[in-house]
Amino acid sequence: MKLPYAEPYKTKMVEYIKPSTKKQRKNWIKKAHYNLFNLESDKVFIDLLTDSGTGAMSDKQWAEMMLGDESYAGSRSYLKLKKVVKKITGFKYFLPTHQGRAAENVLFSVLVKEGDIVPGNSHFDTTKGHIEFRKAVACDCTIDEAFDPSVHHPFKGNIDPDKLEDVFKNHPKEKVPMVIITATCNSAGGQPVSLKNIEEISTLCKHYEVPLYFDGARFAENAYFIKIREEKYKDWSIKEIVREMFSHADGMTMSAKKDGLVNMGGFIALNDQDIYKKATVYNIMFEGFLTYGGLNGRDMGALAVGLDEATEFDYLETRVEQVAFLGKQLVDYGVPVIQPFGGHAIFLDANKFVPTIPRDEYRAQALAVELYIAGGIRGVEIGTILADRDPFTHKNRYPDLELVRLAIPRRTYSLNHMRYIAAVIKKIYDSRDKAKRGYQIVDEAPIMRHFTVKLKKLKN
Ligand code: F0G
């Protein structure tokens, strides 16, 4: 008999979370204008808003915090981190930044100009934001299978080589400063990219002389999927797979708040000396001196340890399998979720869950609010509210999918929490026919309205 997996760690410290009553939550969410971002975290029982910076650090990471060297220049903590980044990624040069979008800001300040086109696999919001802010275009070249929830494909994060080649053929080389592979692909539901695809895309990029970069926020989870889904790599260690992934690229940006296993941090790593030199200027301007980049010495020390821990198989197995455990429970209950399950989150399919709520009444948001009221669980809407209005017509943009993302923080919640979440969702699912009305927007910002939007509940 094959033994089940078990977490390769035990608990040394606990943080209490506060249960509340349905009545209290109804009141709190009303006061928060039915926007989950407006809730105080103490009023949330299980927080699945994001897996970014919300995980638990290990005893070794905390020990490293005490060893933090807070020197402005050349600190020991910086040198430790530099060594680990080199060992894990293989890239020659490294610049610390305070988080992922800061790394994007610095690197894109060097590479991306007005009128450029930056192809990739469903760029994350901040990546797209930093591209569009520079009046360039982010071109989505993800494979078509990624957009069809009924299709099972092991690597829905893959880039379609034909779509990419079309971009290369239709634009002069000078207008395509880079290609970005986001691994795993958050915007496609935490779906991985295969090494076969990475190799293919890299070959294409070399042929057209366009640099290839990774958005590596969840690179370790991606490597885990490669090991278990790509036959050729089944006997490779995660660290070997990671080195192989990055060996096909020119550099990466990193949000260390995910697979760095820290609460704050980021970096850029790359091979080109000239780009590195140019990036140092922006790093100093926006982030801080080259040996701290907006981070404390202790943060860099904790990140050095975190990167090492995040690239161990046993940790990744419990991480990804915990997410899948929740997904499987929901499938067993008949709840519509996006499959295959992502590495960091489960997505509820609100179009199938509550088709009775009109789309212009924000059915995914209605489901997210109901999840909070029913069980104190905070997820996030990835649907019409997030999609914003069309900048020209000012009409709501209706994306194909209306989702509620349940992002699972790393090493934080137990399987009992997963069972609780699944049971709450099943309860809502069983009474879904009663859901008829959703919400109306009463106040919204011109862009990124989801953070601050105010809503009114519509009555039958
Ligand atoms: N790239 C990816 C793929 C991300 O998921 C994120 C953040 C970033 C870049 C930006 O990094 O937050 O450190 O500045 N994703 C978070 C989320 C916010 O909830 O998915 P950051």
Side-chain angles (χ1 to χ4, degrees), residues 185-191 323 327 330 335-350 380 382 402-407:
C185 185
N186 189 1
S187 306
Q191 300 294 328
V323 175
L330 291 169
V335 174
V337 294
I338 302 296
Q339 295 193 57
F341 310 129
H344 67 293
I346 293 296
F347 295 76
L348 303 178
D349 184 345
V380 70
I382 308 224
E402 290 276 356
L403 305 173
V404 176
R405 183 182 80 166
L406 308 172

Side-chain angles (χ1 to χ4, degrees), residues 49-52 99-102 104 124 126-127 182 184 186 215 217-218 254-258 265 344 405:
L49 188 68
T50 177
D51 64 324
S52 180
Q99 62 183 91
R101 66 199 72 185
E104 290 163 357
F124 182 66
T126 59
T127 320
T182 304
T184 58
N186 189 1
D215 171 347
R218 298 179 183 84
M254 177 70 190
S255 168
K257 301 171 74 170
K258 285 85 170 173
H344 67 293
R405 183 182 80 166

Side-chain angles (χ1 to χ4, degrees), residues 268-284:
I268 298 168
L270 76 174
N271 284 333
D272 188 304
Q273 191 186 29
D274 183 47
I275 296 173
Y276 166 74
K277 273 192 177 159
K278 287 179 181 152
T280 58
V281 177
Y282 294 104
N283 220 64
I284 292 173

Side-chain angles (χ1 to χ4, degrees), residues 17 20 65 129 172 183 240 249 255 295 335 354 356 388 433-434 447:
I17 49 178
S20 49
M65 298 285 278
E240 286 166 345
S255 168
L295 294 173
V335 174
V354 275
T356 43
D388 265 326
D433 293 345
K434 282 192 230 139
I447 48 163

Side-chain angles (χ1 to χ4, degrees), residues 188-208:
Q191 300 294 328
V193 184
S194 72
L195 244 169
K196 187 161 174 275
N197 187 249
I198 294 169
E199 268 179 69
E200 205 173 349
I201 298 309
S202 168
T203 307
L204 207 54
C205 286
K206 286 197 181 97
H207 180 75
Y208 285 91

